[in-house]
Amino acid sequence: MFNLEEELKKLPAKPGVYLMHDASDEIIYVGKAISLKNRVRQYFQKSRNVTPKIQRMIDRIAWFEYIVTDSELEALVLECNLIKEYSPRYNTMLKDGKTYPFLKATVQEAYPRLLFARQMKRDGSRYFGPFTSGKAIRDTIELVNKLFHLRSCRRTLPRDIGKERPCLYHQIGQCPAPCQGGVPEEEYRKNFEKALKFLQGDTKEIIRELSEKMEEASASMQFEEAAGYRDLIHSVRQVTEKQKITAEDNEDRDIVALARGGDEAVVQVFFIRSGKLIGREHYYLLGVEEEENANVLAAFIKQMYSGTPYIPREIWTEEEVSDREAILAWLSAKRGKKVYFRVPKRGSKERLLELAKRNAYMVLTKDAEKLKADRERTIGAMEEIGRLLGLQGLSRVESYDISNINGFDTVGSMVVFEQGKAKKNDYRKFRIHSVSGPDDYGAMEEMLTRRFEHSRREGLSELDSFRKLPDIIFMDGGKGQVNVAEKVLLNLNITIPVCGMVKDDRHRTRGLYFQNQEIPIDTHGQGFRLITRIQDETHRFAIEYHKLIRSKNQVHSLLDDIPTIGAARRKALMRRFESLEHIKNASLEELRAVPGMNERSAREVLKALGSVGSDKKKQS
């Protein structure tokens, strides 16, 4: 039993991270502290002055735990990791976890290449980016390879020189075939150095060279070749135009601007690399209501830069960020060099930040209706169901169904919805073992018992989805199914509300069965639509699993019972013919052609399947 007063007395006056749990053991908040003793105790002081949001969180706390660290910096890093892992509902959260790709120049190779890379590694290569679009990188690589005649193959050179014939790019004149020794290493590297200058924004030389070649081809009446050079010049200028000059200092910086509306916000980030705007991206944040801008910006920066390998030298914001020194120390450690926060107040720098802020407001205004509709069909729908049932704080829903045909191959399914959205990583399938014949109630009892007993195992991994209990259970049926679930929970001494999704004679949802009564539901509301989605998804998942089991058993019963057909031959047959019907209609010669098959085994297959294959042989 968790004794709050006793546990508060045990808190150390050391830096660390604290995790707040609710009654269902869900982690609802993660925070860091310079002194755990002072910070955690503040939540439970009667004289405290907190926002309504924090008060709601405090009211749900059933117990807490903490992890001591050696420094505030270590606590910040751990806080970032835990927030990303658990997505606590009372932390300000990024709605997605975008990461951005890089253009990788393998300068350490004898014949370097330009490659698409998801991560920046310390492998001797040079990296450009990050880019906001993977397509932009691939288009740039294609253009640069064409301009500077660089190779795109994966061969290890010079080791593989002459081992294979040159590829298509050599045939069409785009690659000088270093794989055949067609270009000296020194000459190839000179072209590669020109490519690197081009990627850094120096395009004057390449445009001059292409213009000269275009004029020469035109003067020689080689108009098709001249048109090719013209198109390359156009492509180069397009790339140049996309890189709007924003500064003369050639610095790398991110410009971060915030726009707020209710409990949601949009953060617009401009990516400046070597003084050029290479792209922009916007991010949605949830849970910002009643939070100060400084806290929202700090939460965003910690989550954003914990997921990207590249940290710029400067980060511009419209106001100071909370936890400024700790965050800067963390970012500097990640980058390996000093990182600075800037708050521009005047001139072109302020105008650039204002431009980012206007973009953020445009996104927020443009997507306001979309965000509102999305919230209504997810979180709003859950709140509607909660009001209907008289329950508060519903987030995680688990729904169960049983599937079989006349009692054979009985399977069960568990689907999970959180905040009104399907969480497919937490779906689970159950093969029913203790029930024979058409006994859906017995099968359901076995499935629920196994699921909730699993949640009590000692040493359960933090990543195990069974560790997390639902706020409510939905059963794909009425009173009978609900009674089975409540019986299992009672036996295990677990308290979770159980609700049945009742169907009419046409197999359509008509209401909910809860606390021994059927509750009608507005069929035009978002709550009803969410219940229907949950019910359809539960049924679909169970049916698909049952079909899979049934097909496997069918293959086993017809092929594995043939004495001369072992696992290898059965696998070879299914790979060659894909289905039993195709095997049944195959000729003796076709079966003998399968790897591992001989005439005897082929005849055994034809005999066992009652195949027409032998008649085919006679006709042939």
Side-chain angles (χ1 to χ4, degrees):
M1 187 69 180
F2 186 83
N3 187 313
L4 179 61
E5 292 300 325
E6 290 299 319
E7 294 300 326
L8 287 175
K9 292 177 182 177
K10 297 176 184 177
L11 285 166
K14 294 182 178 181
V17 173
Y18 54 93
L19 299 89
M20 301 299 193
H21 294 253
D22 65 8
S24 64
D25 205 28
E26 177 188 351
I27 296 173
I28 59 175
Y29 188 79
V30 173
K32 75 167 183 65
I34 300 175
S35 170
L36 287 166
K37 181 177 182 179
N38 296 339
R39 184 71 185 97
V40 177
R41 289 172 67 92
Q42 287 177 357
Y43 287 101
F44 304 100
Q45 291 173 350
K46 292 182 180 180
S47 60
R48 67 183 183 274
N49 182 21
V50 297
T51 64
K53 173 186 173 183
I54 296 299
Q55 184 59 55
R56 290 193 298 272
M57 184 268 289
I58 293 172
D59 292 341
R60 291 195 62 175
I61 296 173
W63 65 284
F64 63 81
E65 59 180 318
Y66 55 87
I67 303 170
V68 175
T69 61
D70 289 331
S71 65
E72 185 185 8
L73 177 58
E74 287 184 7
L76 189 147
V77 174
L78 181 58
E79 178 196 29
C80 291
N81 293 338
L82 292 175
I83 289 175
K84 181 179 287 188
E85 176 66 36
Y86 294 110
S87 301
R89 67 175 65 186
Y90 287 101
N91 284 92
T92 298
M93 292 298 301
L94 273 172
K95 286 185 71 173
D96 51 27
K98 297 178 182 176
T99 57
Y100 297 96
F102 295 82
L103 193 156
K104 174 180 177 179
T106 61
V107 294
Q108 75 279 14
E109 294 182 334
Y111 293 88
R113 297 168 294 161
L114 297 177
L115 304 173
F116 179 96
R118 283 289 177 191
Q119 294 180 332
M120 182 185 290
K121 299 179 181 178
R122 295 183 178 179
D123 55 3
S125 298
R126 185 172 177 183
Y127 289 84
F128 295 85
F131 290 79
T132 58
S133 167
K135 183 178 183 300
I137 294 182
R138 293 184 177 93
D139 289 347
T140 301
I141 290 174
E142 182 180 356
L143 173 64
V144 175
N145 284 348
K146 186 183 295 185
L147 288 172
F148 298 98
H149 302 290
L150 305 180
R151 72 186 183 102
S152 58
C153 63
R154 297 183 180 180
R155 299 173 188 177
T156 302
L157 303 181
R159 186 194 69 187
D160 294 338
I161 288 179
K163 288 187 177 181
E164 298 180 32
R165 64 182 183 179
C167 65
L168 179 63
Y169 288 105
H170 173 66
Q171 305 296 332
I172 61 177
Q174 288 189 18
C175 177
C179 60
Q180 302 297 310
V183 56
E185 182 179 336
E186 295 77 14
E187 182 180 337
Y188 181 93
R189 186 164 285 277
K190 284 181 181 178
N191 282 339
F192 193 79
E193 292 298 328
K194 290 181 181 178
L196 294 182
K197 287 183 180 179
F198 175 84
L199 291 171
Q200 291 171 326
D202 185 1
T203 59
K204 293 181 181 179
E205 183 179 349
I206 187 62
I207 289 178
R208 179 182 57 77
E209 290 181 5
L210 292 173
S211 298
E212 290 176 357
K213 291 179 179 179
M214 180 180 68
E215 292 171 3
E216 290 174 4
S218 179
S220 304
M221 308 292 283
Q222 302 292 327
F223 297 117
E224 186 174 342
E225 186 177 346
Y229 289 124
R230 178 202 62 200
D231 294 340
L232 285 176
I233 293 171
H234 178 69
S235 297
V236 171
R237 283 176 174 159
Q238 272 195 320
V239 170
T240 306
E241 287 169 2
K242 287 179 182 178
Q243 297 185 340
K244 175 186 174 184
I245 297 293
T246 59
E248 297 179 356
D249 54 9
N250 292 326
E251 284 292 354
D252 290 355
R253 60 175 59 94
D254 288 348
I255 300 173
V256 180
L258 174 69
R260 301 178 58 156
D263 196 39
E264 296 174 334
V266 169
V267 175
Q268 180 82 48
V269 182
F270 284 176
F271 299 102
I272 310 295
R273 299 295 178 263
S274 300
K276 298 178 179 64
L277 175 63
I278 67 165
R280 64 178 185 175
E281 189 59 82
H282 61 265
Y283 302 80
Y284 294 106
L285 291 168
L286 294 175
V288 303
E289 198 169 18
E290 303 161 7
E291 290 283 357
E292 296 179 359
N293 283 354
N295 294 335
V296 175
L297 287 170
F300 168 75
I301 287 170
K302 287 189 284 187
Q303 292 178 65
M304 158 109 175
Y305 293 106
S306 67
T308 177
Y310 183 78
I311 311 294
R313 182 177 183 270
E314 295 181 358
I315 299 173
W316 291 4
T317 58
E318 55 198 295
E319 60 182 78
E320 293 291 351
V321 175
S322 61
D323 282 338
R324 182 177 182 275
E325 296 305 321
I327 294 174
L328 281 177
W330 169 62
L331 292 174
S332 299
K334 282 199 72 174
R335 183 173 185 258
K337 295 180 181 178
K338 186 75 173 175
V339 176
Y340 301 89
F341 280 144
R342 307 290 190 204
V343 184
K345 297 295 185 183
R346 63 179 67 87
S348 59
K349 294 180 179 180
E350 185 189 21
R351 289 195 296 272
L352 192 57
L353 187 62
E354 183 60 33
L355 176 64
K357 192 173 182 67
R358 287 205 304 271
N359 274 267
Y361 270 110
M362 286 174 59
V363 173
L364 187 66
T365 304
K366 176 183 173 183
D367 291 351
E369 289 302 317
K370 179 182 175 183
L371 291 171
K372 182 180 178 182
D374 184 60
R375 189 189 186 283
E376 286 178 355
R377 68 185 294 273
T378 54
I379 298 173
M382 285 302 306
E383 292 173 349
E384 184 179 323
I385 293 170
R387 289 192 297 269
L388 184 69
L389 302 177
L391 300 172
Q392 291 184 342
L394 296 183
S395 174
R396 183 181 175 95
V397 175
E398 289 184 5
S399 180
Y400 298 87
D401 191 18
I402 296 293
S403 181
N404 62 64
I405 294 181
N406 297 325
F408 292 99
D409 296 328
T410 302
V411 299
S413 68
M414 166 185 139
V415 305
V416 179
F417 276 64
E418 282 194 0
Q419 298 290 331
K421 296 181 180 180
K423 192 175 183 183
K424 296 192 175 183
N425 286 343
D426 284 3
Y427 285 16
R428 290 296 180 268
K429 304 169 184 174
F430 296 82
R431 189 80 179 267
I432 304 303
H433 304 295
S434 64
V435 175
S436 60
D439 182 3
D440 285 1
Y441 290 168
M444 184 66 73
E445 183 174 354
E446 179 192 326
M447 174 168 60
L448 292 172
T449 301
R450 285 164 55 189
R451 183 266 179 267
F452 290 106
E453 282 184 342
H454 189 119
S455 68
R456 294 185 161 188
R457 291 181 184 175
E458 293 186 5
L460 205 60
S461 167
E462 295 285 343
L463 301 178
D464 195 320
S465 62
F466 279 164
R467 187 176 186 271
K468 199 172 186 180
L469 295 179
D471 298 315
I472 190 169
I473 295 172
F474 279 4
M475 307 300 296
D476 189 38
K479 181 177 180 180
Q481 298 276 23
V482 171
N483 288 342
V484 170
E486 290 178 339
K487 173 187 173 184
V488 171
L489 295 174
L490 182 63
N491 291 338
L492 297 174
N493 196 27
I494 296 175
T495 303
I496 300 173
V498 182
C499 185
M501 298 179 287
V502 185
K503 303 172 187 174
D504 60 20
D505 295 336
R506 297 183 181 180
H507 211 70
R508 297 178 303 188
T509 305
R510 73 176 187 222
L512 298 175
Y513 183 83
F514 184 63
Q515 295 181 341
N516 297 317
Q517 60 177 323
E518 185 173 322
I519 302 173
I521 185 169
D522 178 11
T523 56
H524 299 290
Q526 291 293 346
F528 174 80
R529 293 188 177 97
L530 176 58
I531 291 168
T532 301
R533 289 200 299 274
I534 293 173
Q535 192 170 42
D536 290 345
E537 180 69 354
T538 308
H539 192 59
R540 177 199 66 79
F541 193 55
I543 292 295
E544 283 189 0
Y545 183 41
H546 187 257
K547 285 181 179 178
L548 177 65
I549 296 297
R550 200 166 68 242
S551 64
K552 287 182 177 179
N553 287 346
Q554 184 182 24
V555 172
H556 173 86
S557 62
L558 294 176
L559 285 182
D560 283 12
D561 291 339
I562 301 173
T564 58
I565 302 299
R569 283 177 174 167
R570 180 169 69 89
K571 189 174 181 180
L573 283 168
M574 293 308 296
R575 185 183 291 117
R576 170 66 177 82
F577 294 102
E578 296 183 353
S579 72
L580 290 173
E581 189 64 27
H582 289 154
I583 297 174
K584 182 178 179 181
N585 293 326
S587 68
L588 182 63
E589 287 77 8
E590 289 172 332
L591 291 174
R592 287 178 60 187
V594 174
M597 293 289 288
N598 54 34
E599 184 166 348
R600 180 192 170 196
S601 58
R603 290 187 181 278
E604 289 286 347
V605 170
L606 295 176
K607 180 180 178 181
L609 299 181
S611 175
V612 298
S614 56
D615 295 333
K616 278 185 172 183
K617 180 184 177 186
K618 292 176 183 177
Q619 293 171 6
S620 63

